Amino acid sequence: MLGPLLALALLAPVHSRSEGKSNFRLEADGRVAVNIQLGEADLPELCNADLTVAERAREEEKLSRCLEGGLGRWLRLTADGQSCPLAYQRWSERARTITIEAQGVCPRLPRALVIDWGLFAGSALDHVSVAVVEQPHAKPRLVMLSKRSSRFLLEVARPWWVWALAGGAPLVLSVAVVVLVLRRRSLAARARG
């Protein structure tokens, strides 16, 4: 009796690996738009929700509650050492693909943005997300996020004029000091003579 059950168990498809996509778009004001795409088959591992069952409405509610409560724990954004709170917005479905939308709010455009990926960290599913990380003043970066590679550090590029201002500020300050000293001397000479 055990033989046929074992054979059936071995023939049953096992969902142990999956791939998805994600996009992190850092805006100039420090907001980070997050978009995560997963296969419908990944949802039981992530949120114990199955959208293929007859009680779909109940499963949709379960998925929404799970994402509202869990997404901010599984995915963390940090800007220059400060947390960027992540707010879940919504999920949608198209062609058996689930898209999760959220937004992180950093205080300002950081010098460094850290993405800590924790989706599926507590499950047996080996999930890899091919992520595009965008920033305002440089080309997008393509990275892989998974249990084995769960952290990505983005050095945020600055526009050329910020570097010019930063490099030119000491020079401008020096010229201003020289002009003030010369003007003072000139006024002092006029007052004496």
Side-chain angles (χ1 to χ4, degrees):
M1 179 78 175
L2 188 59
L5 289 176
L6 182 59
L8 280 175
L10 292 174
L11 292 176
V14 177
H15 184 65
S16 62
R17 293 179 183 218
S18 74
E19 291 181 10
K21 296 178 186 176
S22 53
N23 184 278
F24 298 85
R25 190 178 69 244
L26 175 62
E27 302 290 347
D29 63 359
R31 286 179 294 134
V32 183
V34 178
N35 185 296
I36 302 168
Q37 293 181 0
L38 306 171
E40 191 177 77
D42 299 335
L43 296 179
E45 293 288 337
L46 183 66
C47 285
N48 195 25
D50 186 356
L51 299 182
T52 64
V53 299
E55 294 290 325
R56 184 176 167 98
R58 184 185 65 195
E59 296 298 306
E60 287 178 356
E61 271 184 47
K62 186 190 302 184
L63 177 60
S64 293
R65 280 193 314 272
C66 173
L67 293 173
E68 281 176 26
L71 191 60
R73 288 180 288 134
W74 305 325
L75 179 63
R76 292 191 193 108
L77 303 173
T78 309
D80 298 333
Q82 292 184 312
S83 176
C84 301
L86 188 69
Y88 163 75
Q89 294 174 320
R90 69 185 135 299
W91 67 270
S92 59
E93 179 184 21
R94 184 172 182 215
R96 299 184 63 118
T97 300
I98 305 301
T99 301
I100 303 166
E101 296 176 44
Q103 184 176 49
V105 180
C106 303
R108 65 192 160 285
L109 183 66
R111 293 185 180 280
L113 177 72
V114 176
I115 300 170
D116 283 308
W117 180 265
L119 275 75
F120 303 102
S123 77
L125 184 64
D126 185 16
H127 179 82
V128 175
S129 183
V130 178
V132 176
V133 183
E134 301 176 66
Q135 59 176 308
H137 305 292
K139 292 181 180 180
R141 296 277 310 271
L142 186 65
V143 298
M144 305 289 236
L145 298 170
S146 67
K147 289 179 192 178
R148 289 184 293 273
S149 181
S150 63
R151 177 173 273 207
F152 174 69
L153 168 66
L154 175 70
E155 294 290 335
V156 179
R158 298 282 188 218
W160 66 268
W161 55 268
V162 170
W163 295 111
L165 284 176
L171 177 63
V172 170
L173 185 59
S174 299
V175 169
V177 167
V178 169
V179 168
L180 282 173
V181 168
L182 292 176
R183 180 157 171 91
R184 220 180 219 176
R185 284 184 185 171
S186 172
L187 289 173
R190 281 190 210 162
R192 280 182 259 156

